[in-house]
Amino acid sequence: MIGIINYGSGNIQAILNIYKKLNIHAFVANTSEEITKAEKLILPGVGAFDETMEKLVSSGLIESLNKQVLEKKVPVLGICVGMQVMAKKSDEGEREGLGWFDAEVKKLEPKNKDGEAVLLPHMGWNSVRQMKNNSLFNYIDPERGFYFLHSYHFVCSKEGDVLAKTNYGNTVTSAVSQDKIFGTQFHPEKSHINGIQIFKNFSEL
């Protein structure tokens, strides 16, 4: 069973609809007790870093999340800001993140290496380049890519945590993985066939 964490952020219904079409059981996890029943967890997210962390704190779910992810090693997938809050901190706000990765979230550079302006936010479809083998990316078309919408990006201290990169004026991290913790900067729930495949792959990890 896949538990989609409901703390007031993210495209929960869109993810539920995809799993329904795939005939894979997924449910909305509203409480700590429901989180403990999930075999895998999805942490969605839309919006700003501090606002997202405030919602997580207010939900009272962080202790249960940490226990399931860090102690019991339950696989988890963070999406967009749901991935960014897995870092230690963000330039976007002042709150501490979950700290599951040795990473920080930085604002996207407004210019590329040639000094040309880069439009922010990074919005729309973009290709990805896989940096290491991982079954989360099985059967993905990297050129078709995924749908992005963000102005901040995930900067890992350990290059080995980077699962995929994307070029948007400069090279940015588009997916991360460490043990059973995964994150995507893009929105798989908005990425059609590639996004559906990501959710299917995650269910099979």
Side-chain angles (χ1 to χ4, degrees), residues 155-184:
V155 181
C156 294
S157 295
K158 302 174 183 177
E159 189 65 23
D161 289 342
V162 179
L163 176 55
K165 292 183 178 182
T166 291
N167 184 64
Y168 185 68
N170 301 282
T171 301
V172 297
T173 296
S174 49
V176 294
S177 69
Q178 182 186 98
D179 298 326
K180 295 182 179 181
I181 305 174
F182 302 88
T184 65

Side-chain angles (χ1 to χ4, degrees), residues 73-154:
K73 305 298 182 183
V74 173
V76 61
L77 173 64
I79 297 172
C80 197
V81 182
M83 166 179 136
Q84 291 185 356
V85 296
M86 294 177 175
K88 291 182 175 180
K89 61 180 182 179
S90 172
D91 285 350
E92 190 177 15
E94 299 179 353
R95 279 189 171 271
E96 290 185 0
L98 295 170
W100 293 350
F101 285 86
D102 185 5
E104 297 181 6
V105 179
K106 302 285 187 180
K107 190 170 180 64
L108 289 169
E109 294 292 334
K111 295 182 179 181
N112 65 17
K113 62 182 180 180
D114 297 321
E116 299 168 332
V118 176
L119 292 177
L120 297 180
H122 174 200
M123 180 171 64
W125 287 81
N126 208 334
S127 60
V128 298
R129 186 171 79 256
Q130 193 172 342
M131 305 307 296
K132 60 181 180 179
N133 291 328
N134 193 288
S135 55
L136 184 69
F137 270 63
N138 283 353
Y139 312 113
I140 294 298
D141 180 351
E143 290 304 315
R144 182 184 182 92
F146 298 91
Y147 183 84
F148 290 80
L149 178 56
H150 65 114
S151 296
Y152 291 80
H153 66 113
F154 205 86

